[in-house]
Amino acid sequence: MGFLDGLMGNASEININDVRKEFSKVLTSDETVDKAYKLIRDMFIFTNKRLLLVDKQGLTGKKVELHSIPYKNITHFSIETAGNFDLDAELKIWISGSTAPIQKQFNKSLNIYELQRVLAEYVL
């Protein structure tokens, strides 16, 4: 992910081996990381059991808030592809009990259809 993409609010795919090492303390013994995306310091991680939203806070990023969302709680989701003038793609995820969706933007180089496929495999 380029620095400029991060400043523009776009997320990019990151290496899942690095994610496994960093979050080994919160993953269950039979949980695997399938995809992971990073937006400056924040991340969201797709495992075989749940969606993990990682919010790193403060100047150093040592304070971390983790949101664990079981796939069964995702009521629906949508993708919006990047266009000629709109340079980013967008993912929206609605969680049961919440009216506002979780929204994430991705740079044009990310295959938004692949991301949608991973989410659909677990939610549907």
Side-chain angles (χ1 to χ4, degrees):
M1 174 177 85
F3 180 71
L4 187 57
D5 285 334
L7 290 177
M8 293 176 64
N10 293 321
S12 295
E13 191 169 356
I14 56 175
N15 186 308
I16 60 173
N17 291 324
D18 296 340
V19 173
R20 282 186 197 124
K21 289 176 189 173
E22 185 176 351
F23 294 97
S24 62
K25 293 178 185 177
V26 298
L27 298 174
T28 65
S29 60
D30 61 342
E31 189 171 19
T32 60
V33 176
D34 291 332
K35 293 277 183 184
Y37 300 89
K38 187 171 188 175
L39 173 62
I40 303 178
R41 295 186 309 177
D42 297 341
M43 289 186 264
F44 56 107
I45 303 164
F46 292 94
T47 76
N48 62 323
K49 297 183 176 284
R50 59 189 163 159
L51 174 60
L52 283 169
L53 300 177
V54 181
D55 181 13
K56 293 190 177 183
Q57 303 170 0
L59 291 175
T60 63
K62 288 188 179 192
K63 182 177 178 180
V64 177
E65 182 177 16
L66 294 170
H67 291 270
S68 178
I69 304 168
Y71 292 117
K72 67 180 180 178
N73 292 351
I74 297 175
T75 59
H76 66 283
F77 57 92
S78 70
I79 61 169
E80 182 180 303
T81 61
N84 290 333
F85 299 107
D86 185 14
L87 298 178
D88 54 4
E90 187 172 312
L91 170 70
K92 292 181 184 177
I93 302 172
W94 284 264
I95 308 300
S96 61
S98 180
T99 56
I102 297 168
Q103 297 183 41
K104 297 292 181 180
Q105 291 184 336
F106 301 89
N107 61 32
K108 198 171 187 174
S109 65
L110 178 84
N111 183 349
I112 192 73
Y113 295 108
E114 172 70 16
L115 176 61
Q116 186 277 155
R117 184 190 62 76
V118 171
L119 187 56
E121 283 183 15
Y122 292 117
V123 174
L124 303 179

